[in-house]
């Protein structure tokens, strides 16, 4: 009987991928679900993930699980849409198993709370200001000071800077506050727990005050040219997002490349190509508030997660992307950066860490599928 009350432990159903902690009211998304499912003394002929009562067939079930010797073909995964809710509440997920002996049973997988979106940071900003979202985590003091000084030297003075610190150790956070000083254009907030760069940039975007219509992203260790914000503002036109080229330098300022596009192709017009291979670096961008609001919350995907890839996809799905064909900042390559060495010397090691069909499928194809499904859920 469909929907018969069966305890999850009786069915041996387990969700192993993380669910969002919460979703804001009015926001649709897509989530990746993977785990194992098998009933005692029976076989599974089919499996669906049920979201708020609506079943979605799994992309795969009965997959090998050598780590579960008693249920070695119990693996499943699926990407499922989660519709927007117009009021606070919860989204319930269940696994629906079609049994070989006949009938279907369901077991709970989890619940996602739907909550009111957090209020923007109460921060005054000049008319037409750009909100510069700076994500930090235990930065090199000299590189941080160089970045801050390059921001303060912008010819476009209509900006505020929102600093989201990813739970740096107290002594590192004190250095960040000291480097910023009493400048009223900066708002500094320290996360209570470590988020990682993907979620920390998401947190920084949530700090953008109401009424600010343009947003830029900032890394903690680059050096902006004085005309960067002014040039990007002027080049945005009717596009949703604009980005620029960048010069690659080492920590001492020695030039490694005059352009980002040595050995790789730029793209800002093909959504399918951008989905497969990102070409938009976050610190090179300026985008509209509409892009930010459509992008939040960031989706969870298998494998590595990149905020700039997601924002670029959202912008191109929502409209046009413009490009400034010259460097407007120095992208500093150094050992302390999360992803700070795109020089060809790093390529062999990077390729070695991404071999194999499983990595290509789970971290490549399935991750892109989640992004695509999230775009469809939010934008149509």
């Amino acid at each position: 009987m469909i929907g018969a009350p069966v305890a999850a432990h009786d069915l041996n159903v387990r969700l192993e991928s993380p669910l969002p902690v919460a979703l804001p009211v009015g926001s649709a998304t897509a989530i990746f679900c993977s785990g194992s499912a098998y009933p005692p003394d029976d076989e599974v002929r089919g499996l669906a993930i049920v979201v708020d009562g609506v079943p979605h067939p799994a992309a795969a079930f009965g997959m090998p699980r050598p780590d579960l010797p008693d249920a070695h073909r119990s693996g499943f995964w699926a990407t499922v849409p989660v519709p927007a809710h117009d009021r606070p509440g919860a989204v319930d997920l269940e696994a629906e198993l079609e049994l070989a002996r006949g009938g279907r049973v369901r077991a709970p997988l989890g619940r996602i709370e739907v909550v009111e979106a957090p209020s923007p940071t109460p921060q005054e900003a000049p008319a037409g200001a750009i909100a510069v979202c700076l994500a930090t985590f235990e930065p090199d003091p000299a590189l941080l000071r160089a970045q801050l000084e390059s921001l303060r030297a912008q010819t476009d003075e209509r900006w505020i800077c929102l600093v989201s610190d990813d739970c740096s150790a107290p002594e590192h956070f004190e250095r960040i506050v000291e480097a910023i000083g009493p400048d009223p254009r900066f708002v500094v907030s320290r996360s209570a727990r470590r988020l990682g760069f993907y979620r920390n940039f998401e947190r920084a975007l949530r700090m953008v005050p109401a009424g600010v219509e343009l947003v830029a992203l900032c890394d903690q260790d680059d050096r902006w040219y004085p005309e960067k914000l002014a040039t990007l503002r002027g080049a945005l036109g009717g596009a949703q997002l604009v980005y620029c080229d960048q010069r690659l330098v080492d920590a001492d300022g020695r030039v490694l490349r005059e352009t980002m596009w040595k050995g790789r192709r730029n793209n800002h017009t093909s959504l399918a190509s951008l989905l497969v291979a990102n070409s938009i670096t976050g610190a090179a961008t300026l985008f509209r508030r509409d892009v930010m609001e459509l992008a939040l919350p960031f989706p969870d995907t298998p494998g590595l997660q990149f905020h700039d890839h997601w924002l670029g996809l959202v912008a191109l799905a929502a409209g046009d992307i413009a490009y400034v064909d010259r460097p407007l900042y120095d992208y500093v390559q150094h050992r302390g950066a999360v992803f700070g060495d795109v020089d060809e010397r790093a390529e062999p090691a990077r390729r070695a860490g991404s071999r194999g069909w499983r990595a290509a499928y789970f971290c490549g194809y399935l991750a892109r599928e989640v992004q695509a499904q999230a775009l469809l859920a939010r934008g149509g």
Side-chain angles (χ1 to χ4, degrees), residues 99-120:
L99 306 180
R101 66 173 182 264
R104 299 180 183 181
V105 291
R106 288 183 182 178
L109 283 179
R111 168 173 285 195
I112 306 169
E113 298 298 325
V114 179
V115 300
E116 294 287 357
S119 300

Side-chain angles (χ1 to χ4, degrees), residues 243-328:
Y243 70 111
C244 62
D245 198 357
Q246 58 245 238
R247 189 175 69 164
L248 276 61
V249 304
D250 66 16
D252 296 321
R254 290 186 290 266
V255 177
L256 303 174
R257 292 189 201 169
E258 291 289 351
T259 176
M260 185 69 171
W261 310 119
K262 180 182 177 182
R264 59 179 302 194
R265 181 178 297 175
N266 190 11
N267 163 59
H268 60 277
T269 58
S270 169
L271 185 60
S273 295
L274 190 64
L275 184 66
V276 173
N278 183 40
S279 58
I280 298 175
T281 304
T285 63
L286 176 73
F287 50 90
R288 300 187 186 278
R289 186 185 190 93
D290 290 347
V291 173
M292 179 192 78
E293 292 181 345
L294 192 60
L296 295 173
F298 290 179
D300 281 304
T301 62
L304 295 173
Q305 300 172 323
F306 296 95
H307 59 284
D308 44 14
H309 191 189
W310 173 239
L311 287 163
L313 289 170
V314 170
L316 191 52
D320 294 328
I321 291 178
Y323 175 64
V324 175
D325 191 17
R326 64 185 176 94
L328 292 177

Side-chain angles (χ1 to χ4, degrees), residues 12-208:
N12 299 304
V13 176
R14 181 173 59 180
L15 184 66
E16 297 166 352
S17 54
L19 292 177
V21 175
L23 289 173
V25 169
S27 179
T29 193
I31 58 174
F32 178 70
C33 298
S34 66
S36 61
Y38 57 100
D41 305 320
D42 209 331
E43 295 182 359
V44 178
R45 296 180 57 186
L47 188 146
I49 305 299
V50 182
V51 181
D52 280 345
V54 179
H56 303 274
F61 68 92
M63 303 305 291
R65 286 296 301 267
D67 57 319
L68 299 174
D70 295 331
H72 62 280
R73 297 195 68 85
S74 62
F76 72 85
W77 58 81
T79 299
V80 296
V82 178
H85 284 220
D86 60 3
R87 61 177 63 89
V91 178
D92 290 308
L93 278 75
E94 299 173 288
E96 180 179 280
L97 282 67
E98 181 183 355
L99 306 180
R101 66 173 182 264
R104 299 180 183 181
V105 291
R106 288 183 182 178
L109 283 179
R111 168 173 285 195
I112 306 169
E113 298 298 325
V114 179
V115 300
E116 294 287 357
S119 300
T121 302
Q123 168 74 8
E124 292 187 5
I130 295 170
V132 178
C133 293
L134 169 58
T136 63
F137 175 70
E138 302 187 356
D140 178 287
L143 292 177
L144 176 64
R145 288 183 182 277
Q147 174 66 290
L148 294 175
E149 290 308 310
S150 73
L151 177 55
R152 291 185 171 110
Q154 290 297 297
T155 57
D156 187 332
E157 298 179 348
R158 293 175 295 164
W159 58 266
I160 58 171
C161 185
L162 310 166
V163 182
S164 178
D165 181 70
D166 196 11
C167 199
S168 295
E171 62 273 18
H172 289 276
F173 184 68
E174 289 176 8
R175 294 190 192 108
I176 294 170
V177 174
E178 178 185 358
I180 291 172
D183 194 327
R185 296 171 294 182
F186 288 81
V187 175
V188 184
S189 174
R190 181 172 179 262
S191 174
R193 62 185 180 87
R194 185 86 165 90
L195 301 173
F197 70 92
Y198 182 71
R199 293 295 172 192
N200 193 32
F201 270 107
E202 179 187 49
R203 183 176 185 270
L205 290 176
R206 293 191 186 280
M207 295 170 61
V208 174

